[in-house]
Amino acid sequence: MLIIPKDNQHGSLKSGKIKDFYKLYSPFSNACMRQMTTLEHNGFYTINIMQCLESNLHRLILYMKTISITIFMLLSHFTPAQHFTKEKTEIAQVVQQFRKSIIKKDSATFHRLFHEHPVVWVGVIKNGSQRKRLEKDPGNNKNYFSDTYKNFFRYIMEQGSKDEKFENIRIINDDVVASITFNYCFLEENTINNWGSEYWHLIKAEGKWKIVSVIYSYENAVYFPKPK
């Protein structure tokens, strides 16, 4: 039984008490309120809760089944997410090794980051820089270039310091494939030469993450300095 004081002024159930009832027996309290037996005695309402619950038992069972299914779905998604966190950490280390090998001019470490089969390496000149190029050479309409990671590192090995900085790194992966996106800026002698967006694809081959493609946009910092 639930005994609730009657509002002397309006002859209705006190709002605070009825809210407590809703919190306690939601979501089937609406049905209870329609079907409950109420008896007024000496300024009190008496609500037969057991009768209410028995008559709405099927709603309670359905509600509990819904909660159980929801919890199961959450747990089934949580386990893979936990598992892939380890892979995400491994992938982040590839990004760090990429940069460190450029700074240290460590070709052995750099080459080990890539898959043994041909790797896609394509840069696309951004529209602003392309317009500047066309002003100097109107016949040069090609706005992209392809190369190899080995040729890139030959350039790294040339005289002078080099560095590539990464910002806003985003990693999407499962246990064997991954994509990485980030904003980059490439520096020579501590001066930004070019900047843009960069996208990698990786696979986990024989237990090691290997880069299989690198594509990036290219903005010439001479014409368009990187925003701060």
Side-chain angles (χ1 to χ4, degrees):
M1 291 289 186
L2 177 67
I3 301 175
I4 300 176
K6 176 180 174 184
D7 189 320
N8 293 329
Q9 184 176 359
H10 299 96
S12 61
L13 297 178
K14 283 186 177 293
S15 60
K17 294 296 182 180
I18 202 65
K19 285 179 182 178
D20 292 341
F21 176 84
Y22 270 90
K23 289 179 182 178
L24 197 59
Y25 298 104
S26 179
F28 45 89
S29 56
N30 285 336
C32 286
M33 292 301 292
R34 288 194 299 268
Q35 299 175 24
M36 74 175 75
T37 300
T38 59
L39 297 172
E40 182 181 358
H41 181 69
N42 294 331
F44 288 87
Y45 282 112
T46 303
I47 303 173
N48 193 330
I49 296 299
M50 292 307 298
Q51 178 181 337
C52 171
L53 295 180
E54 287 173 2
S55 63
N56 291 279
L57 184 59
H58 66 285
R59 290 186 175 88
L60 175 60
I61 294 172
L62 180 61
Y63 178 62
M64 296 306 295
K65 284 183 177 179
T66 302
I67 291 177
S68 299
I69 292 172
T70 302
I71 293 173
F72 174 78
M73 291 179 67
L74 288 172
L75 290 176
S76 65
H77 282 81
F78 179 72
T79 301
Q82 258 191 333
H83 177 67
F84 297 152
T85 299
K86 174 179 175 291
E87 281 73 16
K88 199 177 295 291
T89 300
E90 296 171 350
I91 296 164
Q93 290 174 353
V94 173
V95 179
Q96 295 173 5
Q97 290 171 350
F98 186 97
R99 184 187 179 197
K100 287 180 180 179
S101 62
I102 291 175
I103 296 172
K104 296 180 179 180
K105 298 182 183 288
D106 182 354
S107 61
T109 298
F110 187 83
H111 287 178
R112 282 197 298 267
L113 300 177
F114 294 84
H115 196 264
E116 60 184 3
H117 292 293
V119 173
V120 174
W121 187 287
V122 177
V124 183
I125 302 169
K126 289 174 69 68
N127 292 336
S129 293
Q130 178 65 3
R131 285 193 296 269
K132 292 294 185 180
R133 292 177 73 247
L134 290 174
E135 290 175 5
K136 292 184 177 181
D137 185 4
N140 188 6
N141 293 319
K142 188 176 180 180
N143 71 327
Y144 67 93
F145 49 91
S146 60
D147 209 331
T148 67
Y149 68 89
K150 292 181 180 179
N151 282 340
F152 171 75
F153 209 81
R154 290 190 186 100
Y155 165 69
I156 296 299
M157 295 298 290
E158 292 178 3
Q159 187 175 0
S161 64
K162 311 286 195 308
D163 190 6
E164 184 171 357
K165 295 182 178 180
F166 309 116
E167 297 175 338
N168 303 320
I169 300 172
R170 297 176 293 277
I171 300 173
I172 301 174
N173 69 287
D174 63 12
D175 52 338
V176 293
V177 295
S179 66
I180 308 176
T181 65
F182 50 83
N183 301 325
Y184 81 92
C185 62
F186 186 81
L187 297 86
E188 294 185 65
E189 301 291 352
N190 298 318
T191 300
I192 297 177
N193 181 282
N194 58 278
W195 57 275
S197 301
E198 193 160 337
Y199 304 80
W200 297 357
H201 284 111
L202 300 88
I203 64 170
K204 196 168 191 178
E206 300 175 353
K208 301 292 184 181
W209 287 100
K210 301 292 183 179
I211 302 170
V212 295
S213 73
V214 174
I215 61 174
Y216 58 98
S217 60
Y218 176 99
E219 191 80 277
N220 191 322
V222 173
Y223 302 127
F224 301 96
K226 182 181 180 297
K228 295 182 179 180

